[in-house]
Amino acid sequence: MDDSRLGSPHFRVLDGWRGICACLVAAFHCMAYSHIHALPFLRNAFLFVDFFFALSGFVIAANYRAKLRQGFGVGRFMFLRWGRLYPLHFATLMFLVGMECLALAMPEVFGRSAFAGSDRDIGSLVSNLLLLQGIGLDSSLSWNFPSWTISAEFWTYLLFALVAVALPVAWLRLVLLVVALAAPIGLGLLSSQNMAATYDYGILRALGGFAAGAICFDIYTVLRRLALPRPAAWLFSAAEGVLILGVVLFVSAAGQTSLSLFAPLVFSLTILLFSVEGGLFSRLLRSGPAILLGTLSYSIYMVHVPLQMVTKMLARAVEREAGVPVFTPVILGEDRVMMLGRTLWQGDVALVAILAAILAVAALTYFWIEAPCRRFTRRLVDRRSRGKSRAEPNLALH
């Protein structure tokens, strides 16, 4: 099956999903003593990282697999991916480096424990700069720790591009199927945390989720070409509602158990159903606010931890200078953590305020860093493509 005839489809509903998942991951990392902080669904929201991996596989297969096979070039593809991921990663990393320097220079003002630590040293800085922090070389999370996913995803892109160019379509599909099945099994055997693996075996999470998403795009193309009668909108709406409920129940129950190993399958099926955009929930996910969240999703994901670090630093300064307690010690699993707010209602306010601040900062980083850098790399690629297309006829005459 040749997917080149499908063009480069855009799935707005999946943009909405991406934005909601980014907000859920941000809320998961928000240490606020609120009414929802102990809900299993929120405490296990780290699993939505696997939604991102599966969505990447689906979208990359839709937009680049045929192009790669038609000579788009692995180098150009990876340059575009680099321009998509690296500038904001670098900006947030440099921000944290600056805060680390301030914390070390003026611990009485900034509070050394807010940033400084053994997991933020020169070695881990080099790993982050080279996007190596998510492929099993480091011994802990470091700096802007959600960026391990950026590292794992970047190298997954490269492997996919090389295999897509080198293998026939049938063999490519077989490889994707093997990876989609083997990666979760490998995680179950190697990691005691199953799908909660990050810096150590996170690359397996990325590979498995990406492969599952890419396979789902194949299923999507088959269903599209069969031109089956379209079910009624109410039936689509019911299916979407049931699947959303299933996702909530799955995430709430899975956590770090072996059940979490099915996350790529659950999320890939969700992506497949919603890619049809046939029901009420799809219409909601295509609405303006949802699309805006999707547009800002990468910025939300990359800025939420640095912003929460700064919030925690400022709260400690208030507690220290004014003598007003602002934290509540809470036991999460085997860890004792200090959470913002002395009452649940204070934590609710803190959670809403922090999420609002994350959205505001994400809008700034999107318009000032993310979007301009993406346009710049795209212009470079387009300019080179036009130059190559003009040169080729002349070369053919000689």
Side-chain angles (χ1 to χ4, degrees), residues 160-182:
F160 171 77
L162 292 174
V163 173
V165 170
L167 296 181
V169 173
W171 283 99
L172 172 61
R173 293 195 179 106
L174 178 61
V175 168
L176 290 172
L177 180 61
V178 170
V179 172
L181 295 174

Side-chain angles (χ1 to χ4, degrees), residues 226-237:
L226 288 176
L228 299 173
R230 190 178 181 88
W234 70 265
L235 187 58
F236 263 117
S237 299

